Amino acid sequence: MATNFLVHEKIWFDKFKYDDAERRFYEQMNGPVAGASRQENGASVILRDIARARENIQKSLAGTSGPGASSGPSGDHSELVIRIASLEVENQSLRGVVQELQQAISKLEARLNVLEKSSPGHRATAPQTQHVSPMRQVEPPAKKPATPAEDDEDDDIDLFGSDNEEEDKEAAQLREERLRQYAEKKAKKPALVAKSSILLDVKPWDDETDMAQLEACVRSIQLDGLVWGASKLVPVGYGIRKLQIQCVVEDDKVGTDLLEEEITKFEEHVQSVDIAAFNKI
């Protein structure tokens, strides 16, 4: 039963009708002027401003104001006068402020000057100028004339006197004596003699050569600066032996060529002579 009743009910489907009726009711209560004022609110203000601007432009161009527009320009002029007066008042106040600041700054400067003068570190004393006299040329002291007594004393002082001459003679004698002693010492010192040690190989003709006789012949050679040393027989081969003998010679007096020449003179016993070793002493 309940569902069938709601099916035939049309209240929800006709809701816009009730909304329209409610709107018309409130419009009748507020009156038609309120609605028109809401529509013309923005446009009326703009139109009034435009009309006033046009009137001001026309009046400024014409230079005169019409009889019906006396209230417009008089209002503008009064506003300008008020603004100019306010600007003048503000300017005067600013001038007063500037004057006060200048006075304060001057007072601060005066106080700073007083403080600087009173502080000992900032006291500035004027430098005292000293009068400098021109330089005078200093004359050298006059030389006193020498008296006869001073001349005699100067004559007595001999800078190159006999004492110095005697000392020079003694020094020369001492130097000569030392040179002579050095020359004598050098003459007594034996001179260094260059010597050499030579090892000779003296070869016989064959195995029948008397080696003792051969050695005696070699040692029979006597020369200044020659000293014979040890000797021995060294086998060569096939029963043949050679004589190996050592000698010391002075290089300035005896040479190897001289030794070979003297030894080979014994032709009966000596076939040849060779130098096996040669050393400086």
Side-chain angles (χ1 to χ4, degrees), residues 10 28 34-35 61 93 98 118 129 141 146 150 170 188 193 200 221 241 243 249 259 275:
K10 297 181 180 179
Q28 289 177 1
L61 291 174
S93 64
V98 171
S118 62
T129 58
E150 292 178 355
E170 292 178 358
K188 291 178 181 179
V193 179
L200 299 174
I221 299 172
R241 294 181 298 175
L243 175 66
V249 298
L259 278 175
I275 298 173

Side-chain angles (χ1 to χ4, degrees), residues 91-105:
N91 191 8
Q92 289 178 1
S93 64
L94 289 174
R95 286 180 181 177
V97 172
V98 171
Q99 290 178 359
E100 291 178 358
L101 290 174
Q102 289 178 353
Q103 291 176 1
I105 291 170

Side-chain angles (χ1 to χ4, degrees), residues 168-185:
D168 293 339
K169 289 179 180 180
E170 292 178 358
Q173 291 177 359
L174 181 61
R175 183 171 61 255
E176 291 176 358
E177 181 67 21
R178 288 181 179 177
L179 289 173
R180 185 179 61 77
Q181 292 176 0
Y182 176 75
E184 291 177 357
K185 185 177 181 181

Side-chain angles (χ1 to χ4, degrees), residues 42-93:
S44 62
V45 175
I46 296 171
L47 291 174
R48 282 197 300 269
D49 293 337
I50 292 170
R52 185 178 295 176
R54 285 178 179 177
E55 289 178 0
N56 292 331
I57 292 169
Q58 290 177 0
K59 290 175 182 178
S60 62
L61 291 174
T64 58
S65 60
S70 60
S71 61
S74 63
D76 294 338
H77 287 300
S78 63
E79 290 178 0
L80 290 174
V81 170
I82 292 169
R83 290 184 64 185
I84 290 169
S86 63
L87 289 174
E88 288 180 356
V89 172
E90 187 177 357
N91 191 8
Q92 289 178 1
S93 64

Side-chain angles (χ1 to χ4, degrees), residues 14-209:
D14 298 335
K15 185 178 182 300
F16 64 94
K17 295 180 180 181
Y18 295 99
D19 293 335
D20 292 338
E22 185 179 3
R23 180 175 56 79
R24 286 194 297 271
F25 174 75
Y26 285 113
E27 286 180 356
Q28 289 177 1
M29 290 186 66
N30 294 329
V33 181
S37 63
R38 282 196 300 270
Q39 294 177 0
E40 296 178 357
N41 189 11
S44 62
V45 175
I46 296 171
L47 291 174
R48 282 197 300 269
D49 293 337
I50 292 170
R52 185 178 295 176
R54 285 178 179 177
E55 289 178 0
N56 292 331
I57 292 169
Q58 290 177 0
K59 290 175 182 178
S60 62
L61 291 174
T64 58
S65 60
S70 60
S71 61
S74 63
D76 294 338
H77 287 300
S78 63
E79 290 178 0
L80 290 174
V81 170
I82 292 169
R83 290 184 64 185
I84 290 169
S86 63
L87 289 174
E88 288 180 356
V89 172
E90 187 177 357
N91 191 8
Q92 289 178 1
S93 64
L94 289 174
R95 286 180 181 177
V97 172
V98 171
Q99 290 178 359
E100 291 178 358
L101 290 174
Q102 289 178 353
Q103 291 176 1
I105 291 170
S106 62
K107 290 179 180 179
L108 288 174
E109 290 179 353
R111 290 184 64 184
L112 287 174
N113 293 329
V114 172
L115 291 173
E116 289 179 356
K117 291 179 180 179
S118 62
S119 61
H122 294 82
R123 290 179 182 175
T125 58
Q128 297 179 359
T129 58
Q130 296 181 356
H131 179 69
V132 180
S133 60
M135 296 178 64
R136 293 181 300 174
Q137 294 182 356
V138 180
E139 296 180 356
K143 188 176 180 180
K144 296 181 180 180
T147 58
E150 292 178 355
D151 292 339
D152 295 338
E153 291 178 358
D154 294 339
D155 293 338
D156 293 338
I157 298 173
D158 189 5
L159 297 177
F160 303 97
S162 59
D163 295 337
N164 292 336
E165 292 179 356
E166 292 178 358
E167 291 178 0
D168 293 339
K169 289 179 180 180
E170 292 178 358
Q173 291 177 359
L174 181 61
R175 183 171 61 255
E176 291 176 358
E177 181 67 21
R178 288 181 179 177
L179 289 173
R180 185 179 61 77
Q181 292 176 0
Y182 176 75
E184 291 177 357
K185 185 177 181 181
K186 188 175 180 181
K188 291 178 181 179
K189 186 176 180 180
L192 182 64
V193 179
K195 294 181 181 181
S196 300
S197 175
I198 304 173
L199 184 64
L200 299 174
D201 287 340
V202 183
K203 297 177 182 179
W205 287 103
D206 51 17
D207 57 346
E208 295 180 356
T209 303

